[in-house]
Amino acid sequence: EDQVTQSPEALRLQEGESSSLNCSYTVSGLRGLFWYRQDPGKGPEFLFTLYSAGEEKEKERLKATLTKKESFLHITAPKPEDSATYLCAPWGAGNNRKLIWGLGTSLAVNP
Amino acid sequence: DAGVIQSPRHEVTEMGQEVTLRCKPISGHDYLFWYRQTMMRGLELLIYFNNNVPIDDSGMPEDRFSAKMPNASFSTLKIQPSEPRDSAVYFCASSKPDGQYNEQFFGPGTRLTVL
């Protein structure tokens, strides 16, 4: 059965304190893994797609990496505006267009 | 470009009433998804359409839920009769018609409260 687990559930950082969020997955025939950001009261906002192990993508202070079992979202020198919930969603070959969503990591960055 | 549009943004109703949620996908996107989000269960896919045809409705909780897509620019999710456990945020998302591409773009959501 396809599964995804995100850790930690919540993370509090000081501004400038770098850290990483983890997304562990078990999916048959991974076609891609998606990272989204969700602000309170809003819909998830697309950040990255990773397609194969070893791939990395960057956007401002965020860098996403992928292995065969995990994906990491590295946050370098975060700012308060990076505070949000970060969701990962792997896409398996047997799922047509259906994504398997994690419960997310709630990140708070204090000034 | 306008993003995914949902209405209403908030809905408060009483148990037993009919609720209709509406969605307009991004123009040119031929996949449309309906999700429900709660603190306990996160994002759950209810149903999705391709070219206005329902493809997978295995996430629809029960017969009280129904969804339609009469044309490429409009979809509805209906709950009849509504129950307090249906209280959640309902999102609509759409994506492009590309086999290798499944990036889904979400609307702002409808927060439903059933009293």
Side-chain angles (χ1 to χ4, degrees):
Chain A
E1 182 183 346
D2 294 342
Q3 292 185 344
V4 57
T5 303
Q6 290 190 247
S7 61
E9 290 184 13
L11 182 63
R12 186 175 294 274
L13 300 173
Q14 288 299 123
E15 184 172 2
E17 180 187 1
S18 302
S19 188
S20 296
L21 313 182
N22 176 265
C23 172
S24 297
Y25 65 89
T26 304
V27 169
S28 299
L30 184 74
R31 297 182 66 179
L33 186 140
F34 300 85
W35 281 98
Y36 282 77
R37 168 192 171 125
Q38 187 173 22
D39 292 298
K42 296 189 176 181
E45 176 187 348
F46 170 75
L47 291 173
F48 304 109
T49 310
L50 302 167
Y51 290 102
S52 58
E55 187 175 2
E56 299 184 352
K57 288 197 176 169
E58 292 188 59
K59 180 179 180 179
E60 295 182 356
R61 294 174 294 282
L62 301 177
K63 182 170 79 172
T65 63
L66 181 66
T67 73
K68 289 187 178 179
K69 295 183 179 180
E70 299 177 292
S71 180
F72 292 93
L73 186 65
H74 306 278
I75 304 175
T76 301
K79 297 182 177 182
E81 53 262 42
D82 294 322
S83 298
T85 295
Y86 291 87
L87 300 166
C88 78
W91 179 27
N95 293 335
N96 204 340
R97 307 294 280 195
K98 191 173 180 177
L99 303 181
I100 310 299
W101 291 88
L103 292 178
T105 293
S106 176
L107 174 65
V109 182
N110 297 326
Chain B
D1 281 343
V4 174
I5 298 171
Q6 292 188 247
S7 65
R9 293 295 312 279
H10 302 274
E11 177 82 35
V12 180
T13 191
E14 293 191 348
M15 183 173 65
Q17 297 299 305
E18 177 179 295
V19 174
T20 299
L21 311 181
R22 298 174 175 79
C23 175
K24 176 179 170 55
I26 294 171
S27 178
H29 285 193
D30 69 354
Y31 284 91
L32 184 138
F33 305 81
W34 280 104
Y35 287 93
R36 177 172 67 179
Q37 187 176 41
T38 60
M39 290 292 291
M40 291 299 296
R41 300 175 67 91
L43 266 173
E44 300 175 280
L45 178 66
L46 300 177
I47 185 171
Y48 77 92
F49 295 83
N50 179 215
N51 290 322
N52 313 334
V53 176
I55 303 300
D56 185 341
D57 66 354
S58 59
M60 296 286 263
E62 47 200 272
D63 291 346
R64 297 185 298 105
F65 285 68
S66 63
K68 294 181 180 180
M69 192 165 185
N71 58 61
S73 59
F74 183 68
S75 178
T76 60
L77 178 68
K78 186 175 292 186
I79 308 173
Q80 166 64 19
S82 58
E83 297 183 2
R85 60 192 168 122
D86 301 330
S87 297
V89 181
Y90 291 80
F91 289 104
C92 175
S94 68
S95 74
K96 293 181 183 179
D98 184 326
Q100 182 55 26
Y101 183 95
N102 194 16
E103 294 161 10
Q104 299 176 16
F105 294 88
F106 284 75
T110 295
R111 180 173 295 276
L112 173 65
T113 303
V114 183
L115 303 174

